[in-house]
Amino acid sequence: MHEEFETTTVEFDEETGVGYLTLNRPDALNALSAQLRGDIVAGLRTLNDLNDDGIVMRTVVIEGEGGNFCAGADITEFEEGPPTTEVDRSHYQFIIDYPLPVIAKIRGYCLGGGLETAMSCDFRFAGEDARLGLPEVDLGIIPGAGGVQFISRLANPSVAKEIAMTGEHIPASRADEEGIVNAAYDEDELDDAVDEFAETLASKPPLALQTIKQSANMATQTGLREGREYDRKVFEPLLATEDHKEGARAFAEDDYEPEFTGR
Ligand code: COA
């Protein structure tokens, strides 16, 4: 399956269950125009809708065309008014709430809203040449989609202040050390590493993955006790799923590869 929107492309690999969404404005380093923000949502929706058509789409990789992930909000559109900061209507929140795991594969520049897009994803893997940063300070503004909040949680508030106040681009190795990306790889190893990770996720029981995503999102908003109460509540329905039975059967029987269906 291959579908083109004006500024994104989506593809789906039926064999692995992995979908790919490519940001496709390479001449502007994939800067987030209003069109691109809309096309990200449209592309993700199209991929998830495959599941309603009986095709099993399990996880999505987001990447940028032309060697860069994304150089942030499209500055040329600022005169028309700032990009929407309405949290619930943004493509950032759409990714956070998306029912499937989303992986950002980061090459080249990943700045401002580009980094915020990557940090809205569940996982980030970067090539060694990637450069990440929050340069908004040099425009006299701050990252408007939660950049400081994200880095405060992934790393710590001091690292968030350093990156947002200096506006400097940090290399993938530093982002890896700070926990801002899950791992950094040699450029020529990145594609295979991400595919392997995505395929591992795609082989797991979808409802359990969805529940883990919601639980981890909840963890950043609650105290431990309330969070554990939440986990207990969402754990119980999983015990009744076919996938739980399938996993238990595979554990009990040698040489039996489980096939999870999301039921
Ligand atoms: N918005 C709109 N256009 C952008 C852009 C952005 N955020 N970032 C890059 N572009 C465009 C440039 O205007 C240029 O277009 P042109 O070829 O029509 O002149 C093209 O992408 C290539 O960028 P260029 O600046 O020539 O590349 P470079 O390699 O010299 O520098 C960056 C790369 C990323 C360091 C530089 O483009 C930059 O600082 N971009 C802005 C990053 C930013 O502040 N993002 C946060 C916005 S709130």
Side-chain angles (χ1 to χ4, degrees):
M1 174 268 191
H2 177 106
E3 192 166 335
E4 309 239 339
F5 296 85
E6 203 171 313
T7 54
T8 57
T9 307
V10 292
E11 283 181 50
F12 170 61
D13 183 335
E14 210 160 318
E15 236 167 71
T16 60
V18 179
Y20 295 85
L21 182 139
T22 305
L23 314 182
N24 199 4
R25 291 188 76 206
D27 292 346
L29 312 185
N30 301 318
L32 292 162
S33 57
Q35 180 74 41
L36 178 52
R37 296 194 304 271
D39 286 349
I40 292 172
V41 171
L44 288 173
R45 215 172 246 145
T46 298
L47 286 170
N48 191 44
D49 284 351
L50 290 173
N51 287 320
D52 294 338
D53 296 340
I55 298 164
V56 187
M57 232 292 299
R58 293 291 176 80
T59 187
V60 182
V61 176
I62 301 185
E63 59 195 314
E65 183 67 36
N68 292 289
F69 187 74
C70 168
D74 189 318
I75 299 170
T76 63
E77 290 188 356
F78 274 25
E79 276 171 23
E80 294 154 29
T84 178
T85 48
E86 279 179 71
V87 167
D88 286 339
R89 296 185 50 206
S90 67
H91 75 280
Y92 307 100
Q93 197 60 37
F94 192 84
I95 295 170
I96 292 169
D97 295 335
Y98 198 62
L100 305 167
V102 184
I103 300 165
K105 180 160 78 181
I106 303 170
R107 285 200 158 87
Y109 288 113
C110 178
L111 303 175
L115 181 53
E116 292 172 309
T117 300
M119 293 191 294
S120 301
C121 297
D122 303 296
F123 309 93
R124 286 153 294 288
F125 297 103
E128 59 185 342
D129 297 338
R131 291 291 175 271
L132 296 82
L134 297 174
E136 286 85 348
V137 67
D138 291 326
L139 298 169
I141 54 176
I142 70 159
V148 176
Q149 304 296 325
F150 282 119
I151 298 181
S152 294
R153 287 162 170 78
L154 291 169
N156 61 59
S158 183
V159 171
K161 288 174 201 166
E162 179 194 330
I163 292 172
M165 287 189 191
T166 65
E168 279 172 13
H169 305 165
I170 62 167
S173 54
R174 169 91 197 276
D176 185 18
E177 268 164 39
E178 301 293 2
I180 297 167
V181 299
N182 292 71
Y185 291 97
D186 288 349
E187 290 294 331
D188 56 3
E189 289 172 5
L190 181 65
D191 287 337
D192 285 349
V194 170
D195 282 345
E196 198 181 313
F197 183 77
E199 286 166 30
T200 298
L201 291 184
S203 71
K204 301 290 183 191
L207 290 174
L209 296 193
Q210 193 179 336
T211 308
I212 292 166
K213 173 165 176 164
Q214 288 162 350
S215 169
N217 287 349
M218 174 68 89
T220 59
Q221 297 162 31
T222 63
L224 182 60
R225 191 184 170 82
E226 197 190 337
R228 292 184 61 241
E229 279 296 343
Y230 172 84
D231 279 9
R232 194 187 56 80
K233 246 183 251 154
V234 293
F235 160 77
E236 279 172 10
L238 293 174
L239 292 172
T241 61
E242 288 175 22
D243 282 350
H244 170 55
K245 290 185 185 67
E246 176 78 353
R249 181 181 158 202
F251 179 76
E253 290 176 28
D254 277 346
D255 293 336
Y256 174 70
E257 273 300 309
E259 279 198 23
F260 296 114
T261 57
R263 289 194 294 271

